[in-house]
Amino acid sequence: MEFLDVVRRRKTTNGPFRADPVSEEHQRLLMEVAGRAPSQLNSQPWRFVVVDDPAVIEQVADISGDSMTTAMSNGTFFERYKPYFRFSAEEMAEKRSGMLFDKLPALLRPFTRQVFTPRGQQMMNRLRVPQTLGAENRKLVAGSPMLLAVLLDRGEYRPGELSGFYSVFSMGAAMENVWLTTVELGMGIQFVSFPMEVEGQWDRLARLFAVPDDLELMAVYRLGYLPETTQRPAIDWSSHERRLPSQYVFRDSCRTPQEGWD
């Protein structure tokens, strides 16, 4: 596959993976490309835990599912991220960013625009929607043949200092290498983010992965091979639009948007 095709096809996988284990060859390749990312002064601050033990994946799935149920029940998720949700294809096409909020359980679809209100939250809780979504999230994580925990060396990751910025920037480059390589390998990848949303849950993951004091757990991803045919999963808020170059590129200074590239 041509490199530019890989970049253009990169996306997040919201649905299930095939049950096939990720081959050791591909695991090694993913870690090789991560290690080839740029880093300040060649510091290489990243560390990774490759997880393919089903028992450990099940525990991560329990933590993730419980976290999603809690975040959806207490309203913190919707309150925190409501600026990013779009409620129609027209709005998505206009803003060209965020997530198209078009997939809710059938009972809630007539009330889509009310999910960010106290009444909407009460209705969701009464219908046990958070529990339904949490169970679906747990199922997705548990069905993943591989997880990848991303850590940073605390000697480099010092928030508030330049080394902290450099290390996070380098980690992002390493993970972009991984993400693009999954496209080449016929794999998918998704950030397991809900344990970050609920106090105490990220610490549970750090203990599960036996993260030592000199490392900081930064992110967890689920990975696997993509099925030949896919259906939209229960949790699938699409993000297919991208801003036009004139919306994010400037010429010579921020006073002059780039013209003619859209």
Side-chain angles (χ1 to χ4, degrees):
M1 191 182 301
E2 295 292 333
F3 176 73
L4 288 179
D5 290 336
V6 168
V7 174
R8 289 164 179 153
R9 291 176 59 179
R10 185 218 60 82
K11 65 179 181 179
T12 296
T13 301
N14 294 331
F17 301 125
R18 299 202 321 251
D20 313 52
V22 177
S23 71
E24 185 171 348
E25 175 189 0
H26 286 171
Q27 292 180 15
R28 290 180 63 181
L29 179 60
L30 291 171
M31 293 297 89
E32 178 191 347
V33 299
R36 290 184 177 274
S39 60
Q40 175 73 0
L41 300 174
N42 198 28
S43 55
Q44 303 174 66
W46 47 72
R47 305 290 185 272
F48 300 94
V49 180
V50 177
V51 181
D52 57 8
D53 182 340
V56 177
I57 293 174
E58 283 283 341
Q59 292 182 71
V60 175
D62 287 341
I63 294 170
S64 183
D66 290 348
S67 299
M68 185 172 195
T69 296
T70 299
M72 291 288 188
S73 297
N74 62 22
T76 56
F77 176 81
F78 293 113
E79 182 61 30
R80 187 171 294 155
Y81 299 112
K82 63 184 178 183
Y84 303 100
F85 284 105
R86 315 294 179 229
F87 294 100
S88 69
E90 293 75 18
E91 184 180 9
M92 191 73 179
E94 176 190 354
K95 304 244 184 213
R96 303 191 71 86
S97 65
M99 310 291 287
L100 180 57
F101 199 79
D102 68 336
K103 187 79 183 287
L104 278 174
L107 285 173
L108 276 182
R109 286 172 195 162
F111 311 101
T112 298
R113 289 182 176 274
Q114 298 179 37
V115 296
F116 298 124
T117 66
R119 179 173 177 269
Q121 186 66 56
Q122 292 172 5
M123 186 181 306
M124 287 183 65
N125 291 347
R126 190 161 55 246
L127 295 173
R128 295 184 60 80
V129 172
Q131 285 77 9
T132 299
L133 295 180
E136 183 67 21
N137 177 270
R138 188 207 171 282
K139 180 180 176 182
L140 282 175
V141 176
S144 304
M146 173 180 160
L147 302 179
L148 184 64
V150 187
L151 308 94
L152 284 179
D153 181 347
R154 285 182 183 268
E156 300 292 333
Y157 176 62
R158 298 190 294 271
E161 298 185 23
L162 277 176
S163 65
F165 167 77
Y166 294 146
S167 63
V168 172
F169 194 88
S170 299
M171 180 188 72
M175 281 311 302
E176 181 71 357
N177 282 1
V178 171
W179 211 303
L180 293 177
T181 303
T182 64
V183 179
E184 176 73 18
L185 299 178
M187 296 176 63
I189 182 171
Q190 185 183 36
F191 186 22
V192 181
S193 61
F194 271 96
M196 284 185 161
E197 304 285 344
V198 178
E199 185 176 358
Q201 297 289 61
W202 201 246
D203 292 335
R204 291 179 63 190
L205 289 182
R207 289 193 296 270
L208 178 62
F209 298 138
V211 177
D213 291 341
D214 61 338
L215 297 178
E216 178 80 14
L217 178 63
M218 301 296 292
V220 178
Y221 294 87
R222 65 183 194 97
L223 301 91
Y225 296 111
L226 295 172
E228 292 184 4
T229 59
T230 59
Q231 293 182 340
R232 290 193 69 186
I235 308 170
D236 185 25
W237 300 320
S238 63
S239 58
H240 58 279
E241 294 285 1
R242 290 295 183 270
R243 287 192 171 104
L244 299 171
S246 61
Q247 295 175 297
Y248 65 90
V249 180
F250 301 88
R251 177 66 62 179
D252 296 324
S253 78
C254 291
R255 292 189 292 269
T256 310
Q258 175 66 47
E259 296 181 354
W261 287 8
D262 291 354

